[in-house]
Amino acid sequence: MQGFFQSVISQFETQAEAVETFRSGKGRPWGDHSTCCFCGTDRFFRPGYEACLIDQWIPALDGVEAKLKAGAKVADIACGHGSSTVLMAKAYPDSTIHGIDFHEPSIIEARAKAAAAGVTNVEFQVASAQDFRGEDFDFVCIFDALHDMGDPVGAAAHIRKALRPDGSFMLVEPLAGDNMADNLHPLGQIFYAFSTTICTPASLAQDVGLGLGAQAGQKRLTEVLNQAGFSNVRRATETPTNMVLEVTG
Ligand SMILES: C[S@@+](CC[C@H](N)C(=O)[O-])C[C@H]1O[C@@H](n2cnc3c(N)ncnc32)[C@H](O)[C@@H]1O
């Protein structure tokens, strides 16, 4: 929760911009926030990844854990400060994990985090989800970031092209029901608040500007993934805060 409060503070640090963004509806780039927002986001999500990613989420996918143990080519798209990238690099030393994000200051942090952890099976790239370099990936994942993208359909279509035919895509998104009424509980309200000041403006500031929002729900996310060409979307598992979708085809 300390990371959560750090993110709240980041919004007060630039309150005038937040108010103007809300009034104008024009969007606000992710990189426009104070650094406290990026650290707070990493600190808020990291404990969930540490608790679940290696022990629960990856084992819940069809055949992925065995590939990662044997040595696979993996991409962690929109990796932010790279906590998930480093966790996978440590757990699967024979795999190479490519951490990709369009926000250069975050990639600088991610490189430092990987160096501090002593992992060498990572490669980082400053690039957008719609045009990152690389092909023949066995496994691609996105943690709490698809809804921040302006063109999530374009991003998912690019991921599909970059995957091997037998590859799979794990999409982790905030847990949400398909109707707004399902989300009007304390956690959903927190997500809606951050979505209004950070996630939706970040999407609107990019090309296409779909503005999915942090409470899109599985039905809407499935539409996006189907539009990108993926035919199978399955909820592999969930936690009290996240849904984990296995996307193939
Ligand atoms: C909420 S943060 C999540 C970061 C990280 N995955 C985590 O869970 O801590 C969203 C991330 O998406 C990145 N992002 C947003 N739109 C992007 C795009 N079109 N291409 C690549 N990265 C993008 C931002 O730079 C930011 O690091």
Side-chain angles (χ1 to χ4, degrees):
M1 290 310 287
Q2 289 173 339
F4 162 76
F5 286 112
Q6 220 172 336
S7 297
V8 172
I9 289 166
S10 79
Q11 296 312 291
F12 283 98
E13 279 178 330
T14 55
Q15 192 201 358
E17 287 94 325
V19 172
E20 182 47 33
T21 302
F22 189 79
R23 285 204 175 118
S24 73
K26 280 189 183 153
R28 184 174 176 199
W30 173 261
D32 195 39
H33 291 275
S34 79
T35 49
C36 203
C37 178
F38 314 129
C39 301
T41 301
D42 177 60
R43 213 169 160 194
F44 175 62
F45 285 124
R46 188 176 57 225
Y49 304 157
E50 280 181 358
C52 303
L53 172 58
I54 307 300
D55 292 340
Q56 294 171 33
W57 295 350
I58 288 175
L61 307 173
D62 188 17
V64 172
E65 187 179 37
K67 282 188 198 171
L68 296 185
K69 283 183 174 164
K73 186 171 172 185
V74 178
D76 180 1
I77 312 287
C79 66
H81 283 195
S83 291
S84 47
T85 321
V86 170
L87 275 172
M88 290 189 282
K90 273 192 193 161
Y92 309 112
D94 292 327
S95 289
T96 303
I97 322 292
H98 297 253
I100 297 164
D101 200 292
F102 76 166
H103 183 236
E104 189 168 13
S106 288
I107 288 294
I108 291 170
E109 281 294 324
R111 285 200 174 107
K113 210 183 264 281
V119 290
T120 52
N121 55 331
V122 287
E123 287 183 23
F124 289 101
Q125 199 187 121
V126 177
S128 88
Q130 307 86 261
D131 60 11
F132 62 88
R133 297 181 304 282
E135 56 192 4
D136 291 333
F137 287 96
D138 299 289
F139 181 52
V140 174
C141 36
I142 298 186
F143 297 90
D144 288 300
L146 185 80
H147 65 270
D148 294 301
M149 295 177 189
D151 183 9
V153 175
H158 187 64
I159 287 169
R160 189 165 174 270
K161 267 197 283 169
L163 275 170
R164 288 166 52 92
D166 62 346
S168 53
F169 171 27
M170 178 174 76
L171 177 62
V172 178
E173 276 286 295
L175 189 68
D178 292 325
N179 303 301
M180 190 178 74
D182 300 335
N183 304 327
L184 296 180
H185 45 75
L187 182 69
Q189 290 170 346
I190 287 171
F191 276 130
Y192 275 132
F194 277 119
S195 188
T196 303
T197 59
I198 305 175
C199 314
T200 304
S203 172
L204 296 181
Q206 298 180 33
D207 284 348
V208 182
L210 192 65
L212 270 180
Q215 292 286 271
Q218 184 169 343
K219 187 164 166 249
R220 182 74 184 102
L221 292 168
T222 302
E223 282 168 13
V224 164
L225 295 162
N226 289 158
Q227 264 179 283
F230 285 107
S231 41
N232 309 313
V233 179
R234 170 180 85 89
R235 189 176 302 200
T237 186
E238 64 180 45
T239 67
T241 55
N242 282 107
M243 67 174 94
V244 178
L245 302 180
E246 180 176 49
V247 185
T248 54

